[in-house]
Amino acid sequence: MKYLGLFLTLLIVAAGCGRDMMSERGFALPEGDAIAGREAFLYMQCTQCHTIVGEEFPPVPGYEPYVQLGGQVSRVKTYGELVTAIINPSHKLAKGYAESLVSEGGESKMYIYNSYMTVQELIDIVMFLQPHYDVVAPRYAYPIYP
Ligand code: HEC
């Protein structure tokens, strides 16, 4: 019993360290090339499932894109969020879609590209995608009393 306090302190410190080691603090990727990113988006066939606001892509035979990227959002899509959406799609599912449309058993229906997408392709694609998001102030509906 005498050592319980010490034990608990150590446990808390250890838990803190664990979290710290998994922290994204200090994480920074170099800038990509948006033109190369557009090309990668095409040859990796992201267009099987995605449209992008303001872009025209040739259709992929047999596929009907159903998830829109870009367009108006209420706050900026950060670099980190876009990278995460690509390399860890199930971490947070895109908003505004029925869960059954975009996921199965809680997992995103998006393919995992991690084994064959290069880091260069990743940063190029993110560089290409980011400017397609347009931040607008959320519209609040205020009741108007006569
Ligand atoms: C087989 C279909 C499919 C393909 C192919 C696909 N995606 Fe997705 N993607 C999805 C679905 C479904 C979602 C929504 C669920 C989610 O957030 O993971 C999504 C979500 C995203 C999001 C997050 C959108 C948001 O608003 O949060 C990004 C960014 C994205 N995809 C990029 C890509 C890129 C880049 C590629 C090609 C390398 C790609 N996707 C290929 C199905 C696909």
Side-chain angles (χ1 to χ4, degrees), residues 2-124:
K2 204 166 84 189
Y3 296 109
L4 187 66
L6 180 66
F7 174 71
L8 285 178
T9 311
L10 282 177
L11 200 71
I12 290 164
V13 169
C17 288
R19 242 197 331 274
D20 234 32
M21 277 171 75
M22 289 303 281
S23 164
E24 63 280 1
R25 196 153 32 93
F27 177 80
L29 287 166
E31 269 191 27
D33 172 352
I35 303 206
R38 190 181 194 280
E39 276 165 29
F41 194 85
L42 273 169
Y43 67 65
M44 296 210 138
Q45 298 210 344
C46 309
T47 47
Q48 276 182 19
C49 304
H50 292 296
T51 56
I52 301 186
V53 174
E55 294 278 339
E56 287 283 336
F57 295 116
V60 183
Y63 291 91
E64 188 64 52
Y66 63 102
V67 177
Q68 175 192 295
L69 302 181
Q72 299 193 331
V73 285
S74 55
R75 58 176 195 85
V76 72
K77 274 259 184 226
T78 66
Y79 197 88
E81 285 170 333
L82 287 173
V83 168
T84 305
I86 297 170
I87 64 180
N88 189 7
S90 301
H91 175 67
K92 207 170 175 189
L93 298 176
K95 285 195 202 127
Y97 297 93
E99 229 178 281
S100 57
L101 182 70
V102 296
S103 62
E104 225 174 81
E107 299 284 305
S108 171
K109 284 190 189 167
M110 181 159 150
Y111 306 145
I112 304 287
Y113 289 87
N114 298 359
S115 311
Y116 54 97
M117 179 187 279
T118 66
V119 175
Q120 189 65 52
E121 283 165 333
L122 172 70
I123 61 180
D124 290 347

